[in-house]
Amino acid sequence: MNESKVLLERLRAVIEAWPETREKLSHGAPTWWGGAKTFATFADNHHGDGRVAIWVKSTFSEQQDRVEAAPELFFVPPYLGPRGWVAMRLDREPDWAFVEEILEEGYRLVAPKRAIAVLDGQSG
């Protein structure tokens, strides 16, 4: 299995454990919904950019803070960046606890309140 597939399977394992998530292809990329809204997209060499990354729903302030603090790890993704999303490179041996934290923050921005309550019950 190539590196991208391994990374994608690891993302799936994290996200599928959360309530009311689903995955489907959007614009050719694996994309996840929390309830009715998207919160993450897997980008593997998007338009030849050479990066394997996860694009995640975020706030503008978090996007800016992360890109400024660690530009080797974070970048503003095309298309979704103007909406506050942030991209995190997965081809740089990321800390997976941190990846999960970033994903959960994005999920919490879009997931239904009932799903958040279930998630909080799972982790509490």
Side-chain angles (χ1 to χ4, degrees):
M1 192 178 297
N2 72 30
E3 179 186 9
S4 293
K5 288 185 181 191
V6 170
L7 294 168
L8 179 57
E9 289 306 314
R10 194 155 185 187
L11 289 170
R12 285 177 172 142
V14 169
I15 295 168
E16 289 173 0
W18 298 335
E20 298 192 41
T21 60
R22 72 186 194 294
E23 175 188 343
K24 67 179 184 177
L25 286 180
S26 179
H27 299 89
T31 301
W32 290 271
W33 275 254
K37 297 180 182 178
T38 60
F39 71 93
T41 296
F42 181 71
D44 184 2
N45 194 30
H46 180 74
H47 292 302
D49 69 4
R51 300 182 282 212
V52 178
I54 186 76
W55 300 358
V56 184
K57 174 82 172 145
S58 187
T59 65
F60 286 107
S61 62
E62 283 295 322
Q63 176 199 69
Q64 182 179 6
D65 291 348
R66 288 195 164 104
V67 172
E68 286 179 6
E72 70 286 349
L73 184 61
F74 291 101
F75 62 96
V76 177
Y79 317 114
L80 298 173
R83 295 183 189 162
W85 286 51
V86 68
M88 181 180 195
R89 293 190 71 157
L90 299 177
D91 55 1
R92 298 286 172 99
E93 299 183 26
D95 172 349
W96 278 92
F98 189 45
V99 172
E100 187 170 342
E101 180 182 317
I102 300 293
L103 285 167
E104 185 175 330
E105 288 172 6
Y107 169 75
R108 287 177 176 275
L109 289 172
V110 303
K113 290 179 183 178
R114 66 184 174 273
I116 300 295
V118 171
L119 181 66
D120 288 343
Q122 288 175 352
S123 56

